[in-house]
Amino acid sequence: MARTHKQSASSASSNRSFVDPPAQAADNAWVRDWRALEEEALGDPQGYWARRAEELEWSAPWHTVLDDTEAPFYRWFVGARTNIVSSAVDRHLGTARKNKLALIWVGEDTSQVRTFSYFALGREVERMANILKAMGVGKGDVVTIYLPRIPEVVFTMLACAKIGAIHSVVFAGYSSEALTARIDDSESTVVVTADGSWVNGRVFPLKDIIDEAVRFSPTVHNVIVVRNTGSEVTMDPIRDHWYHELCKMPVAKGRCETLQLDAEDPLFILYTSGSTGQPKAVLHSHGGYMVGTYVTLHDCFDIHDEDRWWCTSDPGWITGHSYLVYGPLLCGATAFMYEGNPTYPYPDRWWDLIERYGITSFYTAPTAIRTLMRFGEAWVRRHDLSSLRLLGSVGEPLNPEAWAWFHQVVGQERCPIIDTWWQTETGMFQITTVPSMPMKPGAAGRPVFGQEAAVVDEDGNEVPDGVEGNLVLRHPWPSMMRTLYRDPQRYVSTYWEKYPGLYHTGDSARRDADGWFWIIGRTDDIIKVSGHRLGTAEVESALVSHPSVVEAAAVGLPHEVKGHAVHVSVVLLPGTEPTRRLEAELREHVAATLSPIAKPDSFDFPESLPKTRSGKILRRVLRARALGQDEGDLTTLDAD
Ligand code: 6R9
């Protein structure tokens, strides 16, 4: 049994039990004395990061660890030359890890298994890099990747990095319109996709969506198509190329050197939802990003050579970038990747794979845990999960009930739960625990080593412990986003203007008397639906593009499994009846113009939307209405 005890029971703000980590997890961990390390790193954050950066490959050293002269445009490891691929792949090839498995992949049809040693991965990356180079892709060019969870997504990301190109991975569930916007904005010349992806036994037609998306693209000259489902697709004889055919061409063969870059050169952009309809392209760079993802995965998930690491995220999200692709390879770990969903064909698919492949460390999202919890323990109990030693969660708060289930049923009270709070923008964990730290079910934990977080009021003053406020971060960190691609002004105004000198996270939280942070949720117009980040404005602009819709507003409502559900208030054209059929049509319309993950869950059809005098939609009124609550004092509308 896990030992639990109350700490500071007298303090109302730390009224939750600590759960001590199992002794074995703590004793063998890289970080044992976390208090000492916390103190040491905070005493000299730059010294701490510089020391850790030494564990990775640099072809020329930095002269300055952190340059903040143009803050908030921070620069890390200034003067250094590197390439993330030198540390993620190349350096392992000169060691015994050369023959170690870097990646184990299993298809939705689990008889499909592909494995890659570090050596084999290196060869695959070179092949893709040679092909991209032959298509004219060079340093600073953007390549859009629209691939399912298959090994080629890893090869392509690393191939781009190897030659200094910038990858832009778009989740392979976005519609053609969302894809067009991202391709056009980044001016990609090459797109890498697959014929289709397997989703619950059916083919999702990726290539058809790409055809639609790039039909009028002024920039895309080449589309590389990976054969995955074997489904019939139309190939443009000039623009489209089968990947397996390109691989046979002489140009694909031979070595491809890893280009040494400035540490600050861009590695990737990743579009994420903000509070306007236009998604933001968060930009990360080679040097700092590699240090941040390496150190956090290594320490927080205590990666050892014998581990088998499974991060269930899709590479289309930041979690997939940092902790499915780059982090594990930087640590020289064996990463596991599964193509399918957890509930297909039965809700024990994940448990079966953990048993079969001896997964030791399993990192997933609260929405998945809650979904699987509903199917009952029996599905878990029929598998031997004794290989597991660590569990992790990301994307939204892990509520205490789901925490307890994950801990008891999946982890058999043997595995610490590492709840990691972070963002696309932060690139790496910011608030979490390490295995030797006591845990609090429902709390994310403490700021990572070298970081300090605070909870402040609207004026930037720290609020007392236990009081909810805006979560801010005090210190710059290596894997922070460098800017919003081609929109530096929006970078400054979104993250740095509200509280000068502090990073504004957009989350509300409270800190308890023990220094543990409890994340409450977003304070802006972003909602997390099944862990996916959505902007209400994106859903609204999808809705108003429907001919029957005059105006629309979207809000997030609490949902037992998904965390949040999308509720929309839609003003229809006069004379249009709000029928069930129309609701279904609007749902499909949002799926087709944005993504199936954004489909509204519930509707109402008011005659007009409540607004301030300056025209801002009053979402809190709509939310209250949908929940059947008091709408609040409408006389203060203007101040909202
Ligand atoms: C990594 C990722 C960021 C937002 C973030 C917060 C929420 C993420 C969380 C969490 C509570 C956690 N969030 N992790 N909330 N506990 N462990 O999810 O990035 O998609 O950019 O979303 O997700 O609200 O601000 P991203």
Side-chain angles (χ1 to χ4, degrees):
M1 281 298 283
R3 291 159 290 156
T4 61
H5 62 86
K6 289 258 184 208
Q7 187 155 330
S8 326
S10 57
S11 156
S13 55
S14 71
N15 53 358
R16 300 273 184 164
S17 303
F18 271 118
V19 177
D20 282 340
Q24 212 220 334
D27 293 349
N28 297 330
W30 287 117
V31 178
R32 277 172 227 162
D33 190 348
W34 58 269
R35 281 193 191 278
L37 184 55
E38 199 175 86
E39 208 168 295
E40 182 194 322
L42 269 187
D44 175 16
Q46 290 183 40
Y48 166 73
W49 286 117
R51 251 190 330 278
R52 300 306 306 269
E54 299 282 1
E55 294 168 26
L56 298 165
E57 291 291 307
W58 306 83
S59 55
W62 53 88
H63 54 72
T64 307
V65 179
L66 170 64
D67 176 359
D68 60 3
T69 50
E70 285 171 49
F73 297 96
Y74 295 93
R75 296 163 72 222
W76 283 85
F77 307 107
V78 185
R81 311 278 302 165
T82 192
N83 184 311
I84 197 166
V85 176
S86 304
S87 292
V89 182
D90 303 350
R91 71 177 173 137
H92 305 307
L93 303 182
T95 72
R97 283 190 186 142
K98 176 179 174 184
N99 298 321
K100 176 178 173 176
L101 288 186
L103 181 65
I104 303 172
W105 176 86
V106 176
E108 188 180 88
D109 164 4
T110 51
S111 67
Q112 304 288 315
V113 180
R114 297 165 72 191
T115 58
F116 302 88
S117 64
Y118 273 90
F119 175 80
L121 175 65
R123 284 285 185 262
E124 294 284 356
V125 174
E126 284 189 317
R127 222 153 47 152
M128 181 59 96
N130 283 332
I131 291 168
L132 291 174
K133 272 211 293 205
M135 288 180 174
V137 176
K139 187 168 175 243
D141 294 335
V142 179
V143 173
T144 295
I145 303 175
Y146 188 65
L147 281 169
R149 272 196 298 269
I150 55 174
E152 283 74 10
V153 72
V154 183
F155 310 158
T156 316
M157 289 167 75
L158 292 168
C160 289
K162 193 175 177 72
I163 61 175
I166 303 169
H167 56 72
S168 166
V169 184
V170 178
F171 173 62
Y174 273 114
S175 69
S176 61
E177 277 181 42
L179 196 49
T180 305
R182 287 156 176 76
I183 292 171
D184 287 354
D185 186 65
S186 62
E187 296 180 7
S188 299
T189 54
V190 176
V191 176
V192 185
T193 190
D195 48 2
S197 66
W198 288 111
V199 182
N200 301 341
R202 299 231 300 261
V203 172
F204 184 72
L206 296 178
K207 177 63 169 60
D208 293 353
I209 292 170
I210 284 284
D211 288 345
E212 189 73 28
V214 304
R215 185 177 309 158
F216 303 112
S217 166
T219 55
V220 175
H221 297 308
N222 289 295
V223 175
I224 301 176
V225 188
V226 177
R227 186 142 73 194
N228 183 46
T229 51
S231 37
E232 198 91 356
V233 293
T234 319
M235 298 289 281
D236 179 296
I238 300 186
R239 188 196 63 195
D240 300 344
H241 317 271
W242 284 110
Y243 182 56
H244 59 272
E245 283 172 7
L246 292 171
C247 286
K248 286 187 221 136
M249 294 169 78
V251 79
K253 306 223 161 72
R255 307 303 312 270
C256 173
E257 285 306 312
T258 302
L259 188 66
Q260 291 304 301
L261 302 163
D262 189 287
E264 280 295 305
D265 276 336
L267 170 62
F268 66 84
I269 53 175
L270 183 56
Y271 286 88
T272 189
S273 303
S275 44
T276 71
Q278 186 60 31
K280 315 180 269 198
V282 167
L283 183 135
H284 283 285
S285 61
H286 274 255
Y289 179 80
M290 93 177 165
V291 174
T293 51
Y294 162 73
V295 170
T296 46
L297 182 61
H298 181 275
D299 288 8
C300 303
F301 280 96
D302 194 42
I303 301 289
H304 285 73
D305 251 326
E306 58 276 23
D307 279 325
R308 282 192 167 185
W309 163 257
W310 183 4
C311 162
T312 63
S313 171
D314 192 277
W317 313 117
I318 191 66
T319 305
H321 279 60
S322 298
Y323 299 110
L324 170 60
V325 179
Y326 287 112
L329 299 175
L330 289 164
C331 291
T334 297
F336 181 80
M337 187 186 214
Y338 171 58
E339 184 183 23
N341 285 331
T343 49
Y344 179 85
Y346 300 107
D348 66 339
R349 183 44 72 85
W350 280 359
W351 320 128
D352 180 37
L353 291 168
I354 289 173
E355 175 176 14
R356 267 204 260 175
Y357 291 91
I359 303 300
T360 59
S361 321
F362 181 65
Y363 183 41
T364 191
T367 185
I369 298 167
R370 290 190 295 258
T371 302
L372 293 168
M373 202 173 138
R374 291 187 137 197
F375 288 98
E377 308 189 8
W379 288 103
V380 191
R381 299 256 180 244
R382 60 165 76 176
H383 296 282
D384 172 5
L385 303 187
S386 58
S387 61
L388 286 174
R389 67 179 194 91
L390 284 171
L391 299 173
S393 169
V394 60
E396 27 162 353
L398 181 60
N399 52 306
E401 296 69 31
W403 193 99
W405 189 83
F406 203 29
H407 187 242
Q408 285 156 16
V409 180
V410 180
Q412 292 143 6
E413 296 187 347
R414 196 186 58 243
C415 308
I417 292 184
I418 315 292
D419 185 353
T420 61
W421 177 89
W422 58 296
Q423 307 176 307
T424 305
E425 293 87 339
T426 71
M428 65 182 222
F429 309 152
Q430 291 295 319
I431 296 178
T432 178
T433 52
V434 295
S436 56
M437 270 185 201
M439 303 161 276
K440 293 194 185 203
R446 299 171 70 83
V448 292
F449 306 116
Q451 184 57 282
E452 266 178 300
V455 180
V456 299
D457 63 19
E458 286 301 300
D459 301 321
N461 303 312
E462 254 188 86
V463 301
D465 285 343
V467 174
E468 181 179 347
N470 298 311
L471 180 68
V472 295
L473 301 174
R474 288 199 183 283
H475 299 289
W477 60 99
S479 69
M480 61 201 302
M481 91 182 112
R482 294 306 192 257
T483 189
L484 291 174
Y485 190 60
R486 294 185 177 158
D487 202 353
Q489 190 40 48
R490 192 172 173 200
Y491 165 70
V492 177
S493 62
T494 311
Y495 305 100
W496 300 98
E497 243 166 39
K498 184 158 177 165
Y499 305 116
L502 300 174
Y503 171 80
H504 175 220
T505 65
D507 274 24
S508 73
R510 61 185 175 81
R511 182 176 55 201
D512 67 22
D514 302 310
W516 263 249
F517 284 79
W518 299 73
I519 311 296
I520 295 158
R522 300 287 313 181
T523 55
D524 53 13
D525 298 331
I526 293 172
I527 44 180
K528 276 293 189 93
V529 178
S530 300
H532 301 313
R533 181 164 158 175
L534 282 180
T536 48
E538 287 172 284
V539 181
E540 289 159 7
S541 68
L543 282 167
V544 293
S545 69
H546 186 278
S548 306
V549 176
V550 176
E551 225 182 351
V555 295
L557 300 182
H559 187 278
E560 234 179 76
V561 174
K562 305 201 302 182
H564 279 102
V566 182
H567 173 80
V568 294
S569 302
V570 180
V571 179
L572 295 172
L573 268 189
T576 313
E577 279 302 306
T579 56
R580 286 256 162 221
R581 211 165 135 196
L582 181 66
E583 284 185 12
E585 197 181 311
L586 292 175
R587 228 179 245 129
E588 283 318 307
H589 182 73
V590 172
T593 43
L594 182 56
S595 163
I597 56 185
K599 277 188 191 177
D601 293 272
S602 55
F603 289 81
D604 66 48
F605 296 96
E607 292 202 342
S608 63
L609 296 176
K611 288 184 188 163
T612 62
R613 219 171 290 157
S614 61
K616 261 181 96 181
I617 295 171
L618 282 157
R619 291 202 174 73
R620 83 177 153 76
V621 173
L622 294 171
R623 201 174 297 120
R625 270 186 204 165
L627 293 171
Q629 294 169 346
D630 180 12
E631 292 179 12
D633 182 0
L634 294 176
T635 58
T636 62
L637 290 193
D638 276 343
D640 215 281

